[in-house]
Amino acid sequence: MSLSATTFRIHRWLSWLIGVQVLIWVAGGVVFSLVPFESWVKAGDTVKPPTVVLPQGWAERVAPALQVAAGLGEVVAVAAVATPQGPALRLNYRGGHESVIVPADGTTWMPPDEAAILRFASGLYQGQVEVASVERMSTIPRRLGIVAETGGRGDLWRVRFNDTLATRVYLNGRTGEFVTSRNEAWVWYDFFWRLHIMDYADGEDFNGTLLRATSIFAWGLVIAGAVLAVLAARRRWRVARRSRLD
C-alpha cells in the first residue's frame, strides 16, 4: 500500500474518531472570543460583590460576643463578611462545626428572612429591573446537563432578576452572605468550557486522560493532513512538469 493511501486511511479514521471533538474545540474558541467575559460572563456590569467596612469602635462592641463564641470550640479562622444585617465577623471552628456570625455593631445576630435577602441582593444589583423570584433552595439543579452554577453547593438563597441575561444572585442560606452571581452567558460559557477541556464533572481538570488522548489523536490528524497536502502538491507538480515536457 502506498504512503498516500496509508496516510489517507489514518486521516480518515482519526477524523471519524475525534472529528466531533475538534468541532467542539473550534466552537468553544468562537464562544470564548465573542462573548464579553467581564461584563457578561462575570456580570461585572450588573452585580457588584459587597465590600466589608467595619464601623469605628467595632472591636469593643463585639468583644463580649467574641468571648462567648470562642468558648464554643477551637476557632481556626475569623473573617469580616457582609450580611443582610450589615458588616459582621464569621468564626469558623475546627471539626466542621457550624460557623458563628457576630454583628460588627454588637447587636444580636438575626438570621435573614426573605425580605432581608431581597433588600441585600437588590443592593448588589446594578440596575432597575424587577425581581423575578426569591427562593431558598436546598440544591441547585444542573443546567444543560453538566453545568453546576454553584459548584454543587446547596442551601442557598437565589434571587433572580428579570433582565436580558436572567441574572441570579446566590446568598448563603443561613447567613445571607454573598456566594456568587450567575447568568445565562455564564451558563453557556461554562458549558462550552467543560466540553472544551473534556471535564464534564467539575469543569476544572484540563490535564485529564481523555483530553490528553484526544489531543494526541488530534495532533496525528493534523500531521496526517499535512502529509497528504505535501503528497498532493508533489503529485500536481509532477503532472505539471510532464505536461510541460510533452
Side-chain angles (χ1 to χ4, degrees), residues 31 35-36 40-41 165 168 182-190:
V31 171
V35 176
W40 284 22
V41 177
L165 294 177
R168 301 172 287 279
R182 296 291 184 250
N183 56 37
E184 292 306 292
W186 186 93
V187 169
W188 283 100
Y189 194 99
D190 190 70

Side-chain angles (χ1 to χ4, degrees), residues 52-132:
V52 183
V53 180
L54 296 175
Q56 291 185 348
W58 66 269
E60 293 79 7
R61 296 176 186 175
V62 303
L66 285 179
Q67 290 180 354
V68 174
L72 300 177
E74 182 182 356
V75 178
V76 295
V78 178
V81 296
T83 74
Q85 191 173 330
L89 299 179
R90 173 169 33 81
L91 282 70
N92 293 332
Y93 298 92
R94 186 178 303 279
H97 296 294
E98 193 173 66
S99 59
V100 169
I101 299 295
V102 178
D105 58 4
T107 59
T108 302
W109 167 249
M110 297 294 293
D113 56 12
E114 183 175 317
I117 289 295
L118 177 59
R119 288 194 300 270
F120 188 50
S122 298
L124 302 179
Y125 185 81
Q126 307 299 297
Q128 301 298 324
V129 301
E130 295 181 354
V131 173

